[in-house]
Amino acid sequence: MGEFQPYVPASETLPELTIRAILLGLVLGALMTAANTYLGLYIGMTVSASIPAAVMSMLLLRMLRFKDVSILENNVVQTMTSAGESLAAGVIFTMPALLVMGKDMDTLTTFIVAILGGVLGTIFTITLRRVFIVEESLLYPEGIACEEVLVAGEKGGSQLIVILYALGLGALYGWMVKGFELTQAKVEVAVEVVGVRIYSALDYSLSLVAVGWIVGLNIASYIFFGAVLGVFILTPIYGMTYGWPVDTDLAHGFKTLWSTHIRFVGVGCMVVGGLWTLIDMRRTISSGLKKALASGLNDSEISTIRTEQDIPMNRAFIGLVIVAFLTFIFYWWKTGSLTLAIVGGIFLAITAFFFSAVAGYIAGVVGSSNSPVSGMTIATLMATSLIVWIVGGLILDMKQEDLMYATLIIASVVAVNAAIAGDVMQDLKTGHLLGATPWKQQTAELIGVIVGAIVAPLTLTVLNEAFRITPTHCAANPHPEWGCSKVLEAPQAEIIGTLIEGLFGGTVNYPMLFLGIVVAAIIIGSRWYLGKNGPSLPIMSIAIGMYLPFYLSSTIFLGGILNHLVTRTTHLRVDGTLKGEPSQSAVTSGKELISRGTLLSAGLIAGEALMGVLIAVLIIIGIPPNGWIPSLGTLGPVLSTVFFLWFFGVFTWLVTRSLPPSKRPFSLLFNWGSVIVDGARRLINKVMVP
């Protein structure tokens, strides 16, 4: 096996960290950070901005008629964009928990948490790049995928225009549904049969369909399984045992029972699932830490090779010292205790590097999408609560609400640090394959973090003012015009706020929380009982399904189904059969279709989410779009469904345009029928045959 050679040789120097690349990175970074902030609050998930940013960068720079644009400039743009997006994930999963706890979520505090955690996570990855990417050559699947997109664009790939279609489609749909409120945002129905209530719902959101496409059928089905377990099994059992709420609207009463009781089962399941994920990956985590510590912070030899020149470690170390000192000052300011600030600063120094190494290594093995960031956040939170309880509670005798606040503030910086580390390593992997200059890409990461740290808190403030964030906060502070009908769920923040209240003796539904722990234990135990060949159910995905409202999970599942139908249809048309494993050519064709669908999905998400942010701004300044055309009313459930299905059909058409050709009329419908029959057969065989 020969020595690795990047796409751009180390001996060749191309434009990279240029003014135009930085400016475009600033714009796209701000847009994608705002979009992912909205999406994360809406459904508790974000999507990687690397590939959409890479495509948009190539397209925009060409439209501006720059003839000497290099692939390394496009890499800088996607690096800055994805840095802001990943930082947004860490912020929105933690800081809105303040609202759940009855505290104010001020923009300045959120900005400081974001900038401290983001810079810390980025600097730590400088010490990890060489050992994980160069010496160990970890996979980093998203990094490889982004490199392939950039190289395809450099060679004149024909799919650059695809994302623009999706952006326009998502923006148009978002404006009609959330701006003009032309249709209902979701449909919920419930019926009662012999004392048993059955409930179903669907959210009319193209971005949720796109999320389902991106995560694929496996993850989408596990999320949906959790939703079915909570809505179709646990909620009816609870209702028949303890009685249903008195409500003229059966659907509303059903959802009230679910949200006040069954939802806590998902919280308990997620706590155990997050901790178990870390335990289950202990060997991977241990290996990554050993390698990171073995490489150390020693960088006495500065490489003369362009593609191996990191930001000098002496400068990185100075940066770490400055961030650590500023974090100490921040903790002292927010907690009002010098002792607790010192302990919190020491805790940060230890856990931040630990979780940076863990997140960076796991992302290299299984990818950022499968990295257990939620588990790390929960583990950090529980460790922080113990330290705060000992120092603040036993030694300093602080009030309970002050202990809760201190716990979240201390843990949030570590959580943001962990959220960004894995994504940064994916970007550095892309740069390594392309032949980027590491110190220039690391500088771009830091600029992107600053952009995200500014945009994410401002977006949070705008969205909370316009719609309200978290059902708990909205229940106590409903919107003066539409109450809680447009509330953003922010499921992770709800869970973290609830968990902190529970840890410090707040009002938590302990019986349901314990039931969630039991459910998680049963899922874990089933693997041991069935042996190594038994099914390995992802607890976190199932827990998220139990916690998310059913209408979100069902729409995500719809996107996962579409992904599967398109993939297997490709296999069928290439091989002529679905029996056995698909051929290599069929697999390759399927991946190309999935890649096209992923670009379309990212565009849909960005378009619809950005419209959500724009609408929030218009609401705050007093010109909500729903009042612009008074004659427009909201369509009923039937026409709303037709409207959604039409846009869903356009998305499906765009995805399936590149399917291998077939001469049979209405072949797509027949193909999908064959795929469904084959899927049912495989499922039966898997269940019936041990």
Side-chain angles (χ1 to χ4, degrees):
M1 188 174 179
E3 186 179 350
F4 167 75
Q5 291 293 332
Y7 183 78
V8 178
S11 58
E12 185 178 349
T13 302
L14 295 178
E16 194 166 351
L17 194 64
T18 60
I19 296 297
R20 64 190 177 196
I22 292 174
L23 291 176
L24 186 55
L26 290 174
V27 174
L28 292 181
L31 290 176
M32 293 305 293
T33 298
N36 269 286
T37 300
Y38 176 85
L39 182 69
L41 294 173
Y42 188 37
I43 62 170
M45 298 170 119
T46 60
V47 295
S48 175
S50 296
I51 292 177
V55 175
M56 292 171 70
S57 169
M58 290 184 285
L59 185 61
L60 289 173
L61 288 174
R62 288 183 182 182
M63 289 174 62
L64 294 173
R65 299 188 182 280
F66 289 115
K67 296 181 180 179
D68 57 341
V69 177
S70 78
I71 192 172
L72 299 185
E73 284 181 286
N74 286 316
N75 181 54
V76 162
V77 175
Q78 73 84 15
T79 295
M80 292 176 62
T81 304
S82 64
E85 167 268 323
S86 58
L87 180 135
V91 170
I92 61 180
F93 291 167
T94 54
M95 294 308 292
L98 287 170
L99 300 174
V100 180
M101 296 156 49
K103 297 282 188 178
D104 290 331
M105 182 185 63
D106 64 280
T107 307
L108 177 61
T109 300
T110 307
F111 166 75
I112 295 174
V113 166
I115 198 73
L116 292 176
V119 171
L120 199 63
T122 305
I123 293 179
F124 273 135
T125 58
I126 297 172
T127 70
L128 303 172
R129 185 197 70 85
R130 193 186 301 269
V131 64
F132 286 172
I133 293 176
V134 180
E135 297 175 12
E136 292 299 316
S137 297
L138 297 180
L139 185 62
Y140 291 101
E142 286 97 333
I144 292 175
C146 189
E147 183 261 350
E148 291 174 349
V149 169
L150 285 167
V151 170
E154 184 76 1
K155 295 178 179 178
S158 60
Q159 59 179 357
L160 291 182
I161 203 72
V162 167
I163 200 168
L164 277 186
Y165 285 115
L167 272 169
L169 189 68
L172 176 62
Y173 184 80
W175 185 259
M176 290 296 180
V177 176
K178 296 182 173 67
F180 285 154
E181 297 183 1
L182 180 64
T183 72
Q184 295 180 4
K186 58 179 176 287
V187 61
E188 298 177 274
V189 294
V191 295
E192 186 168 354
V193 182
V194 197
V196 179
R197 292 188 185 180
I198 301 173
Y199 168 91
S200 187
L202 188 72
D203 192 298
Y204 292 144
S205 170
L206 289 182
S207 63
L208 290 179
V209 174
V211 168
W213 175 281
I214 291 173
V215 302
L217 182 60
N218 277 348
I219 297 300
S221 61
Y222 289 130
I223 293 173
F224 188 66
F225 173 74
V228 169
L229 180 61
V231 170
F232 286 93
I233 298 176
L234 295 179
T235 305
I237 290 175
Y238 191 97
M240 288 188 295
T241 304
Y242 297 101
W244 296 95
V246 179
D247 200 315
T248 54
D249 186 344
L250 291 180
H252 184 267
F254 189 102
K255 198 168 75 170
T256 299
L257 181 64
W258 168 83
S259 62
T260 54
H261 295 284
I262 306 305
R263 198 173 202 182
F264 286 93
V265 178
V267 177
C269 193
M270 188 170 290
V271 170
V272 175
L275 297 177
W276 175 253
T277 303
L278 296 181
I279 294 171
D280 196 35
M281 301 186 76
R282 61 190 180 278
R283 290 188 178 87
T284 301
I285 292 170
S286 175
S287 176
L289 281 174
K290 287 178 181 177
K291 290 168 183 174
L293 292 172
S295 71
L297 302 180
N298 182 20
D299 193 21
S300 56
E301 297 183 8
I302 300 176
S303 177
T304 58
I305 302 174
R306 179 185 62 80
T307 54
E308 288 301 321
Q309 293 175 352
D310 293 289
I311 290 177
M313 280 311 306
N314 57 348
R315 296 182 184 178
F317 182 74
I318 292 172
L320 287 175
V321 171
I322 293 173
V323 173
F325 176 73
L326 292 176
T327 306
F328 158 72
I329 297 297
F330 173 62
Y331 287 164
W332 191 5
W333 171 46
K334 300 307 291 186
T335 64
S337 168
L338 177 62
T339 304
L340 192 57
I342 293 172
V343 174
I346 296 172
F347 174 78
L348 172 79
I350 297 172
T351 55
F353 180 74
F354 172 83
F355 282 122
S356 290
V358 169
Y361 191 82
I362 292 177
V365 177
V366 299
S368 296
S369 301
N370 298 314
S371 184
V373 174
S374 296
M376 295 182 216
T377 303
I378 290 172
T380 301
L381 198 68
M382 298 186 77
T384 306
S385 66
L386 178 61
I387 291 172
V388 170
W389 178 72
I390 293 173
V391 177
L394 297 182
I395 298 177
L396 302 177
D397 195 28
M398 294 172 62
K399 295 180 180 178
Q400 180 173 299
E401 62 179 27
D402 293 333
L403 295 177
M404 292 165 57
Y405 183 73
T407 297
L408 181 63
I409 291 298
I410 292 174
S412 58
V413 177
V414 183
V416 173
N417 161 84
I420 198 170
D423 187 82
V424 169
M425 294 299 288
Q426 295 283 3
D427 291 337
L428 293 175
K429 175 70 172 185
T430 301
H432 177 68
L433 296 173
L434 291 173
T437 308
W439 74 264
K440 292 182 179 179
Q441 193 173 10
Q442 289 156 355
T443 302
E445 294 278 6
L446 289 170
I447 297 173
V449 162
I450 295 171
V451 173
I454 294 172
V455 173
L458 289 174
T459 308
L460 273 176
T461 302
V462 168
L463 293 175
N464 186 46
E465 182 69 24
F467 303 125
R468 297 292 186 266
I469 297 174
T470 76
T472 299
H473 172 64
C474 189
N477 303 275
H479 193 279
E481 191 169 340
W482 41 71
C484 295
S485 62
K486 299 182 180 181
V487 66
L488 297 171
E489 298 284 341
Q492 271 88 351
E494 275 274 4
I495 290 172
I496 288 173
T498 301
L499 184 58
I500 291 176
E501 289 182 334
L503 291 170
F504 288 96
T507 56
V508 177
N509 194 326
Y510 285 106
M512 294 294 103
L513 198 67
F514 180 73
L515 178 59
I517 294 173
V518 172
V519 170
I522 292 173
I523 294 173
I524 294 170
S526 66
R527 181 67 188 273
W528 287 350
Y529 177 77
L530 295 172
K532 292 184 178 180
N533 295 325
S536 179
L537 299 176
I539 304 173
M540 292 299 288
S541 297
I542 294 173
I544 289 173
M546 280 194 284
Y547 191 84
L548 286 176
F550 187 79
Y551 48 80
L552 299 181
S553 302
S554 59
T555 311
I556 292 172
F557 185 54
L558 181 63
I561 291 174
L562 181 62
N563 179 307
H564 178 74
L565 289 174
V566 171
T567 303
R568 293 296 285 162
T569 297
T570 307
H571 296 166
L572 174 61
R573 290 191 178 183
V574 173
D575 290 343
T577 180
L578 290 171
K579 294 181 179 179
E581 294 300 318
S583 65
Q584 186 58 46
S585 59
V587 171
T588 302
S589 297
K591 287 182 177 179
E592 291 175 356
L593 261 294
I594 294 304
S595 176
R596 177 185 175 86
T598 300
L599 281 179
L600 284 165
S601 298
L604 281 180
I605 290 169
E608 187 175 332
L610 288 173
M611 281 302 104
V613 176
L614 175 60
I615 291 164
V617 172
L618 294 174
I619 289 172
I620 289 176
I621 63 178
I623 49 173
N626 62 351
W628 290 5
I629 308 177
S631 59
L632 280 180
T634 301
L635 298 175
V638 175
L639 291 179
S640 295
T641 304
V642 171
F643 188 80
F644 168 72
L645 290 177
W646 188 87
F647 276 88
F648 177 77
V650 173
F651 173 61
T652 304
W653 177 74
L654 289 172
V655 168
T656 56
R657 282 185 66 195
S658 299
L659 276 171
S662 175
K663 297 180 179 179
R664 186 176 182 179
F666 303 104
S667 58
L668 186 60
L669 295 178
F670 285 104
N671 291 156
W672 283 7
S674 300
V675 170
I676 293 171
V677 171
D678 176 71
R681 177 182 60 81
R682 289 172 180 264
L683 180 62
I684 292 171
N685 289 340
K686 191 170 184 179
V687 172
M688 299 300 293
V689 179

